[in-house]
Coordinates of all heavy atoms in Angstrom, one line a residue:
N32 N -6.3 -24.9 13.8 CA -6.5 -25.1 12.3 C -5.7 -24.2 11.5 O -5.7 -24.3 10.2 CB -8.0 -24.7 12.0 CG -9.0 -25.7 12.7 OD1 -8.6 -26.8 13.0 ND2 -10.2 -25.2 13.0
K33 N -5.0 -23.3 12.1 CA -4.0 -22.4 11.3 C -4.7 -21.5 10.3 O -4.2 -21.2 9.4 CB -2.9 -23.1 10.7 CG -2.1 -24.1 11.6 CD -1.1 -24.9 10.8 CE -0.4 -25.9 11.7 NZ 0.3 -26.9 11.1
E34 N -5.9 -21.2 10.7 CA -6.7 -20.4 9.8 C -6.9 -18.9 10.3 O -7.7 -18.1 9.6 CB -8.0 -21.0 9.3 CG -7.9 -22.2 8.4 CD -9.1 -23.0 8.4 OE1 -10.1 -22.6 8.8 OE2 -9.0 -24.1 7.7
G35 N -6.2 -18.6 11.3 CA -6.4 -17.3 11.8 C -7.6 -17.2 12.8 O -8.4 -18.2 12.9
I63 N 2.6 -23.0 13.7 CA 2.0 -22.1 12.6 C 3.2 -21.5 11.9 O 3.4 -21.5 10.7 CB 1.1 -21.1 13.1 CG1 -0.2 -21.7 13.5 CG2 0.9 -20.0 12.0 CD1 -1.3 -20.7 14.0
K64 N 4.1 -21.0 12.7 CA 5.4 -20.4 12.2 C 6.2 -21.2 11.3 O 6.4 -21.0 10.2 CB 6.2 -19.9 13.4 CG 7.6 -19.5 13.1 CD 7.8 -18.1 12.7 CE 9.1 -17.8 12.0 NZ 10.3 -18.1 12.7
E65 N 6.3 -22.4 11.8 CA 7.1 -23.5 11.1 C 6.4 -23.9 9.7 O 7.0 -24.0 8.7 CB 7.2 -24.7 12.0 CG 8.0 -25.9 11.4 CD 9.5 -25.8 11.6 OE1 10.0 -25.2 12.6 OE2 10.3 -26.3 10.7
S66 N 5.1 -24.1 9.8 CA 4.4 -24.6 8.6 C 4.3 -23.5 7.5 O 4.3 -23.8 6.4 CB 3.1 -25.2 8.9 OG 2.2 -24.3 9.3
I67 N 4.2 -22.2 7.9 CA 4.0 -21.2 6.9 C 5.3 -20.6 6.5 O 5.6 -20.3 5.3 CB 3.1 -20.2 7.4 CG1 1.7 -20.8 7.5 CG2 3.0 -18.9 6.4 CD1 0.6 -19.9 8.2
Y68 N 6.2 -20.4 7.4 CA 7.5 -19.7 7.1 C 8.7 -20.6 7.1 O 9.8 -20.2 6.7 CB 7.8 -18.6 8.2 CG 6.7 -17.6 8.2 CD1 5.5 -17.8 9.0 CD2 6.8 -16.4 7.4 CE1 4.5 -16.8 9.0 CE2 5.7 -15.5 7.4 CZ 4.6 -15.7 8.2 OH 3.6 -14.9 8.2
G69 N 8.5 -22.0 7.3 CA 9.6 -22.8 7.4 C 10.7 -22.3 8.3 O 10.4 -21.8 9.5
R71 N 12.7 -19.9 7.4 CA 13.3 -18.6 6.8 C 13.1 -17.5 7.8 O 12.1 -17.3 8.4 CB 12.5 -18.3 5.5 CG 12.5 -19.3 4.5 CD 11.9 -18.8 3.2 NE 10.5 -18.4 3.5 CZ 9.4 -19.2 3.6 NH1 9.6 -20.5 3.5 NH2 8.2 -18.7 3.7
D224 N 1.2 -3.2 -0.1 CA 1.7 -3.8 1.2 C 1.9 -2.7 2.2 O 2.6 -1.7 2.1 CB 3.1 -4.4 1.0 CG 3.0 -5.7 0.2 OD1 1.9 -6.2 0.0 OD2 4.1 -6.1 -0.3
E251 N -9.0 -5.6 5.5 CA -9.4 -6.9 4.7 C -10.8 -6.7 4.0 O -11.0 -7.1 2.9 CB -9.4 -8.1 5.6 CG -8.1 -8.6 5.8 CD -8.0 -9.9 6.7 OE1 -8.9 -10.2 7.4 OE2 -6.9 -10.6 6.7
N255 N -9.6 -6.1 0.6 CA -9.4 -7.5 0.5 C -8.0 -8.0 0.9 O -7.6 -9.1 0.6 CB -9.5 -7.9 -1.1 CG -10.9 -8.2 -1.5 OD1 -11.7 -8.6 -0.6 ND2 -11.3 -8.0 -2.6
V256 N -7.3 -7.1 1.5 CA -6.0 -7.5 2.0 C -5.7 -6.7 3.3 O -5.9 -5.5 3.3 CB -4.9 -7.4 0.9 CG1 -4.8 -6.0 0.4 CG2 -3.5 -7.8 1.4
G257 N -5.1 -7.5 4.3 CA -4.9 -6.8 5.6 C -3.4 -6.4 5.6 O -2.8 -6.1 4.5
F258 N -2.8 -6.3 6.9 CA -1.5 -5.9 7.0 C -0.6 -6.9 6.3 O -0.7 -8.1 6.5 CB -1.1 -5.8 8.5 CG -2.0 -4.9 9.3 CD1 -2.3 -5.2 10.6 CD2 -2.4 -3.6 8.8 CE1 -3.1 -4.5 11.4 CE2 -3.1 -2.7 9.5 CZ -3.5 -3.2 10.9
H259 N 0.5 -6.4 5.6 CA 1.5 -7.2 5.2 C 2.4 -7.7 6.3 O 2.9 -8.8 6.4 CB 2.3 -6.5 4.1 CG 3.4 -7.4 3.3 ND1 3.0 -8.5 2.5 CD2 4.7 -7.4 3.4 CE1 4.1 -9.0 2.1 NE2 5.1 -8.4 2.6
T260 N 2.7 -6.7 7.2 CA 3.5 -7.0 8.3 C 2.9 -6.3 9.6 O 2.2 -5.3 9.4 CB 5.0 -6.5 8.1 OG1 4.9 -5.1 7.8 CG2 5.7 -7.3 7.2
R294 N 0.6 -14.0 16.1 CA 1.1 -15.1 15.1 C -0.1 -16.0 14.8 O -0.4 -16.4 13.6 CB 2.3 -15.9 15.6 CG 2.7 -17.1 14.8 CD 2.7 -16.9 13.3 NE 3.7 -16.1 12.7 CZ 3.3 -14.9 12.0 NH1 2.0 -14.7 11.7 NH2 4.3 -14.1 11.6
V297 N -3.1 -13.9 12.9 CA -2.9 -13.5 11.4 C -1.7 -14.3 10.9 O -0.6 -13.8 10.7 CB -2.7 -11.9 11.3 CG1 -4.0 -11.3 11.3 CG2 -1.8 -11.4 12.3
P298 N -1.9 -15.6 10.6 CA -0.8 -16.5 10.3 C 0.1 -16.1 9.2 O 1.3 -16.3 9.1 CB -1.4 -17.9 9.9 CG -2.7 -17.8 10.6 CD -3.2 -16.4 10.6
F299 N -0.6 -15.3 8.2 CA 0.2 -15.0 6.9 C 0.8 -13.6 7.0 O 1.3 -13.1 5.9 CB -0.7 -15.1 5.8 CG -1.2 -16.6 5.6 CD1 -2.4 -16.9 6.1 CD2 -0.4 -17.5 5.1 CE1 -2.9 -18.2 6.0 CE2 -0.8 -18.9 5.0 CZ -2.0 -19.2 5.5
T300 N 0.7 -12.9 8.1 CA 1.2 -11.5 8.2 C 2.6 -11.7 8.9 O 2.8 -12.2 10.0 CB 0.3 -10.7 9.1 OG1 -1.0 -10.6 8.4 CG2 0.9 -9.2 9.3
G301 N 3.6 -11.1 8.2 CA 5.0 -11.1 8.7 C 5.0 -10.3 10.1 O 4.3 -9.4 10.2
S322 N 9.1 -13.2 12.0 CA 9.6 -13.8 10.7 C 10.6 -12.8 10.1 O 11.2 -13.2 9.1 CB 8.4 -14.0 9.8 OG 7.6 -12.9 9.7
Q323 N 10.7 -11.6 10.7 CA 11.7 -10.7 10.0 C 12.5 -9.9 11.2 O 11.8 -9.5 12.2 CB 11.0 -9.6 9.3 CG 10.2 -10.1 8.1 CD 9.8 -8.9 7.1 OE1 10.4 -7.8 7.3 NE2 8.8 -9.2 6.4
C375 N 9.5 -11.7 -4.2 CA 8.1 -11.5 -4.3 C 7.7 -10.1 -4.8 O 6.9 -9.9 -5.8 CB 7.4 -11.7 -3.0 SG 7.1 -13.5 -2.7
G379 N 6.2 -8.9 -8.5 CA 4.8 -8.4 -8.4 C 3.9 -9.3 -7.5 O 2.7 -9.3 -7.6
R380 N 4.5 -10.1 -6.7 CA 3.8 -10.9 -5.7 C 3.5 -10.1 -4.6 O 4.2 -10.4 -3.5 CB 4.4 -12.2 -5.5 CG 4.5 -13.2 -6.6 CD 5.1 -14.6 -6.3 NE 6.5 -14.5 -5.8 CZ 7.5 -15.0 -6.4 NH1 7.4 -15.5 -7.6 NH2 8.7 -14.9 -5.9
T381 N 2.6 -9.2 -4.6 CA 2.4 -8.3 -3.4 C 0.9 -8.3 -3.1 O 0.0 -8.8 -3.8 CB 2.8 -6.8 -3.8 OG1 2.1 -6.4 -4.9 CG2 4.3 -6.7 -4.0
G382 N 0.6 -7.6 -2.0 CA -0.9 -7.3 -1.6 C -1.6 -8.7 -1.7 O -1.3 -9.8 -1.1
E383 N -2.8 -8.5 -2.3 CA -3.7 -9.6 -2.3 C -3.1 -10.9 -3.0 O -3.4 -12.1 -2.7 CB -5.0 -9.2 -3.1 CG -6.3 -9.8 -2.9 CD -7.4 -9.3 -3.7 OE1 -7.2 -8.2 -4.2 OE2 -8.4 -10.1 -3.9
R384 N -2.4 -10.6 -4.1 CA -1.8 -11.8 -4.9 C -0.8 -12.5 -4.0 O -0.9 -13.8 -3.9 CB -1.0 -11.1 -6.0 CG -0.4 -12.2 -6.9 CD -0.4 -11.8 -8.4 NE 0.3 -12.9 -9.0 CZ 1.5 -13.0 -9.4 NH1 2.2 -11.9 -9.4 NH2 2.1 -14.0 -10.0
F385 N 0.0 -11.9 -3.2 CA 0.9 -12.5 -2.2 C 0.1 -13.3 -1.2 O 0.3 -14.5 -1.0 CB 1.7 -11.5 -1.5 CG 2.5 -12.1 -0.3 CD1 3.7 -12.7 -0.5 CD2 2.0 -12.1 1.0 CE1 4.4 -13.3 0.5 CE2 2.7 -12.6 2.0 CZ 4.0 -13.3 1.8
M386 N -0.9 -12.7 -0.7 CA -1.8 -13.4 0.3 C -2.4 -14.7 -0.2 O -2.5 -15.6 0.5 CB -2.8 -12.4 0.9 CG -2.3 -11.4 2.0 SD -1.5 -12.3 3.4 CE -0.8 -10.9 4.2
S387 N -3.0 -14.6 -1.5 CA -3.6 -15.8 -1.9 C -2.6 -16.9 -2.2 O -2.9 -18.0 -1.9 CB -4.6 -15.5 -3.1 OG -3.7 -15.0 -4.2
L388 N -1.4 -16.5 -2.7 CA -0.4 -17.5 -2.9 C 0.0 -18.1 -1.5 O 0.2 -19.3 -1.3 CB 0.8 -16.9 -3.6 CG 0.6 -16.8 -5.0 CD1 1.9 -15.9 -5.6 CD2 0.6 -18.1 -5.8
A389 N 0.2 -17.3 -0.5 CA 0.6 -17.7 0.8 C -0.4 -18.6 1.4 O -0.1 -19.7 2.0 CB 0.9 -16.5 1.7
K390 N -1.6 -18.3 1.3 CA -2.7 -19.0 1.9 C -2.9 -20.4 1.3 O -3.3 -21.3 1.9 CB -4.0 -18.2 1.9 CG -4.0 -17.1 2.9 CD -5.3 -16.2 3.0 CE -5.1 -15.1 4.0 NZ -6.1 -14.0 3.9
T391 N -2.5 -20.5 0.0 CA -2.7 -21.9 -0.6 C -1.4 -22.7 -0.5 O -1.3 -23.8 -1.0 CB -3.1 -21.7 -2.1 OG1 -2.0 -20.9 -2.7 CG2 -4.4 -21.2 -2.3
G392 N -0.5 -22.1 0.1 CA 0.8 -22.8 0.6 C 1.7 -22.8 -0.8 O 2.9 -23.4 -0.6
Q393 N 1.3 -22.2 -1.9 CA 2.1 -22.3 -3.1 C 3.5 -21.5 -2.9 O 4.4 -21.7 -3.5 CB 1.4 -21.8 -4.2 CG 0.3 -22.5 -4.6 CD -0.4 -21.9 -5.8 OE1 0.2 -21.6 -6.8 NE2 -1.7 -21.6 -5.7
I394 N 3.4 -20.5 -2.0 CA 4.6 -19.7 -1.8 C 5.8 -20.5 -1.3 O 7.0 -20.1 -1.6 CB 4.2 -18.5 -0.9 CG1 5.0 -17.2 -1.2 CG2 4.4 -18.8 0.6 CD1 4.4 -16.4 -2.2
Q395 N 5.5 -21.6 -0.6 CA 6.6 -22.4 -0.1 C 7.6 -22.8 -1.1 O 8.8 -22.7 -0.8 CB 6.0 -23.7 0.6 CG 5.0 -23.5 1.6 CD 5.7 -23.0 3.0 OE1 6.8 -22.6 3.0 NE2 4.9 -22.9 4.0
N396 N 7.1 -23.3 -2.2 CA 8.0 -23.8 -3.3 C 9.0 -22.8 -3.8 O 10.0 -23.1 -4.5 CB 7.3 -24.4 -4.4 CG 6.7 -25.7 -4.0 OD1 7.2 -26.3 -3.1 ND2 5.6 -26.1 -4.5
V397 N 8.6 -21.5 -3.7 CA 9.5 -20.5 -4.1 C 10.3 -19.8 -3.0 O 11.5 -19.5 -3.3 CB 8.7 -19.3 -5.0 CG1 8.2 -19.8 -6.2 CG2 7.6 -18.7 -4.1
C398 N 9.7 -19.7 -1.9 CA 10.4 -18.9 -0.8 C 11.6 -19.6 -0.3 O 12.7 -19.0 -0.1 CB 9.5 -18.6 0.3 SG 8.2 -17.4 0.0
E399 N 11.5 -20.9 0.0 CA 12.6 -21.6 0.6 C 13.8 -21.7 -0.4 O 14.9 -21.3 0.0 CB 12.2 -23.0 1.1 CG 13.2 -23.6 2.0 CD 12.7 -23.9 3.4 OE1 11.7 -23.2 3.8 OE2 13.1 -24.9 3.9

Side-chain angles (χ1 to χ4, degrees):
N32 297 334
K33 301 179 187 164
E34 283 167 5
I63 291 178
K64 164 86 200 296
E65 177 88 29
S66 74
I67 293 172
Y68 300 84
R71 301 184 307 280
D224 290 346
E251 276 178 350
N255 277 330
V256 58
F258 303 142
H259 185 67
T260 54
R294 173 43 65 240
V297 284
F299 299 98
T300 299
S322 55
Q323 301 195 14
C375 276
R380 293 188 293 253
T381 57
E383 206 182 334
R384 180 145 180 257
F385 170 84
M386 280 299 172
S387 64
L388 283 170
K390 286 178 184 170
T391 51
Q393 292 180 57
I394 210 89
Q395 301 288 12
N396 287 333
V397 292
C398 287
E399 197 122 323

